[in-house]
Amino acid sequence: MDLRGAWMLCVLCLVLTVRAFSQEGLKEVVLKQLGLSEVPKLHKRDLVDLVIPDHVKNKYMSMLKRQRVKRRALPSLAGILRGIPGHTGEVLYSDTTTRQKLMFDMEGRIPKNSEVTMAELKLFKKPLDRANLPAKQPHRPVSNARVSVYWVQRQHDGTNRTSLVDSRLVPIRESGWKSFDVTQAVHYWLRNKRQEPMFLEVWIQGERVGSYASEMAKAVRFTSQDPKDKVLGKPELVLYTLNLDDYGSPGDCREEAAMGKSTCCRQKHYISFRELPWAQHWILEPAGFQAYRCSGSCLQPPRAPRRLGSGQRSCAVAGSSALPIIYLVRKGNHTEIEAAEFPNMVVESCSCVTDG
């Protein structure tokens, strides 16, 4: 680890080990990593009708999937959750985007003392109706549509806010099951649930800018949750879980950690960008993240064997991973959307180290 990475890790250790989380500490880390001296000053017009460019979306999803692969445990199939029949099965159309709303009743479906390691949304793409295809254009052909899945968070004021969880290109002329990784959406729901189902939105867009690509994308149809849709293959949510009684992650805190009675372990500590006043308008993705922090006590060696200048052993971060984000930044008189990866933002492991 270079000197800058070590400094960032030290700052993060200091921030995450404080029981009352310091907003200023996290803000300092984020701004320094982005090379900013202050929070971007945005105008209302910068936040209206935002569209994340495909190259930014692809970069973010690539970084996100790389981190998921690193963390993913060997899953065991827990069961299949099907969409609720007859609810929000409609498909909304516009000139550039096709949207489908989905709802899944999650309450009581995740076994107790288990961890969702992966969640997969399966959508059945209907056979292509060639009558819906626009006339062929002489220039660049279009063979794919971009399909993005968003978690929908219902705000207390009745409005909705979405968070991108997966995005991929789907061949327009192929039919059959298409899978999307919605693990992040389930984790969001677990964190934010208010005795309500989990809501998702599926956006179907052209694979590139232009009216022809947009018209081609409208030919993509997925089976909805509406019982009037007679095509086989309703949307499914497949959950993979680990039984923590058998496969509890070594080093993670159990309930006694909250009482300060455990040995050094990794404790859950969720940070919501949507609830931080300085971050909620310009950090677009993710909505928040499980940062974790190190908690618990360490056995102290006898005084005699201690080397000169060594101090008490304490619980500290031993390993960490990066956090991908999408954010807005002002450049002169215009605003740009960019993706970046913050190193050392998620605590992966803790251990006892000697101060000094």
Side-chain angles (χ1 to χ4, degrees):
M1 183 183 295
D2 60 18
L3 185 60
R4 185 181 181 213
W7 178 87
M8 289 285 292
L9 183 56
C10 289
V11 172
L12 182 64
C13 294
L14 178 62
V15 169
L16 297 180
T17 51
V18 177
R19 184 175 181 84
F21 179 76
S22 167
Q23 291 189 21
E24 288 301 314
L26 178 62
K27 182 167 75 172
E28 179 184 349
V29 172
V30 170
L31 293 179
K32 280 186 176 293
Q33 180 61 27
L34 293 176
L36 301 175
S37 58
E38 60 182 4
V39 172
K41 295 178 180 178
L42 302 172
H43 302 292
K44 285 186 177 180
R45 62 177 179 272
D46 297 323
L47 306 174
V48 176
D49 297 328
L50 282 174
V51 177
I52 300 175
D54 279 348
H55 72 278
V56 174
K57 191 182 295 185
N58 290 338
K59 182 179 178 181
Y60 174 73
M61 294 310 307
S62 176
M63 294 186 294
L64 194 62
K65 288 175 180 178
R66 186 166 62 247
Q67 294 303 325
R68 287 174 183 167
V69 169
K70 289 180 181 178
R71 298 193 189 107
R72 184 162 295 159
L74 181 64
S76 58
L77 183 61
I80 296 178
L81 306 182
R82 295 182 182 274
I84 301 173
H87 190 88
T88 58
E90 75 275 12
V91 179
L92 308 178
Y93 299 100
S94 70
D95 291 340
T96 58
T97 307
T98 302
R99 299 187 186 182
Q100 183 175 0
K101 297 180 181 179
L102 302 173
M103 184 179 86
F104 293 95
D105 185 6
M106 304 287 286
E107 197 64 35
R109 302 296 184 94
I110 300 174
K112 291 183 178 180
N113 199 30
S114 66
E115 177 184 344
V116 177
T117 60
M118 185 170 69
E120 181 183 27
L121 175 66
K122 296 179 67 177
L123 300 175
F124 187 82
K125 184 179 178 300
K126 299 178 183 181
L128 179 66
D129 182 357
R130 297 186 180 278
N132 290 331
L133 291 177
K136 286 187 177 181
Q137 298 290 328
H139 51 283
R140 296 168 59 192
V142 173
S143 56
N144 299 301
R146 174 160 295 281
V147 179
S148 303
V149 181
Y150 292 81
W151 171 64
V152 181
Q153 182 182 18
R154 294 193 168 187
Q155 308 289 316
H156 291 288
D157 61 3
T159 60
N160 291 336
R161 191 166 181 181
T162 60
S163 292
L164 176 68
V165 293
D166 201 3
S167 180
R168 54 171 290 199
L169 292 176
V170 171
I172 293 174
R173 289 176 171 80
E174 291 181 9
S175 63
W177 289 102
K178 306 299 176 184
S179 297
F180 300 86
D181 188 338
V182 294
T183 310
Q184 194 173 8
V186 175
H187 288 171
Y188 285 154
W189 178 84
L190 287 169
R191 175 70 190 176
N192 294 276
K193 65 177 181 178
R194 295 190 294 271
Q195 302 298 318
E196 64 179 23
M198 182 178 75
F199 296 93
L200 300 174
E201 276 191 359
V202 179
W203 294 21
I204 306 171
Q205 300 167 293
E207 67 174 324
R208 62 173 184 264
V209 176
S211 59
Y212 179 60
S214 296
E215 290 299 315
M216 286 291 290
K218 290 182 181 180
V220 174
R221 298 284 191 274
F222 291 112
T223 305
S224 72
Q225 292 173 316
D226 192 331
K228 296 177 184 177
D229 196 339
K230 302 298 183 181
V231 179
L232 296 177
K234 301 296 183 183
E236 295 181 351
L237 181 66
V238 183
L239 298 182
Y240 297 86
T241 66
L242 285 177
N243 185 338
L244 296 182
D245 289 333
D246 299 327
Y247 300 100
S249 302
D252 281 357
C253 299
R254 292 185 176 271
E255 291 182 3
E256 60 267 22
M259 307 299 293
K261 298 178 180 178
S262 72
T263 55
C264 183
C265 57
R266 188 180 71 155
Q267 188 175 27
K268 287 184 177 180
H269 182 65
Y270 188 82
I271 297 172
S272 173
F273 286 130
R274 300 282 167 82
E275 295 175 5
L276 294 175
W278 60 268
Q280 58 186 223
H281 297 304
W282 65 282
I283 296 183
L284 305 180
E285 304 289 350
F289 69 105
Q290 191 64 256
Y292 296 99
R293 60 184 172 192
C294 295
S295 176
S297 59
C298 296
L299 291 174
Q300 304 300 324
R303 295 187 62 85
R306 293 184 187 175
R307 298 189 304 274
L308 183 64
S310 66
Q312 296 284 318
R313 296 177 75 236
S314 59
C315 187
V317 178
S320 62
S321 60
L323 175 73
I325 71 162
I326 296 178
Y327 64 100
L328 281 171
V329 62
R330 291 284 295 177
K331 292 189 175 180
N333 295 324
H334 66 284
T335 305
E336 293 187 4
I337 301 177
E338 297 185 357
E341 197 170 48
F342 286 6
N344 307 318
M345 291 298 285
V346 179
V347 176
E348 294 293 348
S349 60
C350 303
S351 66
C352 292
V353 297
T354 302
D355 295 337

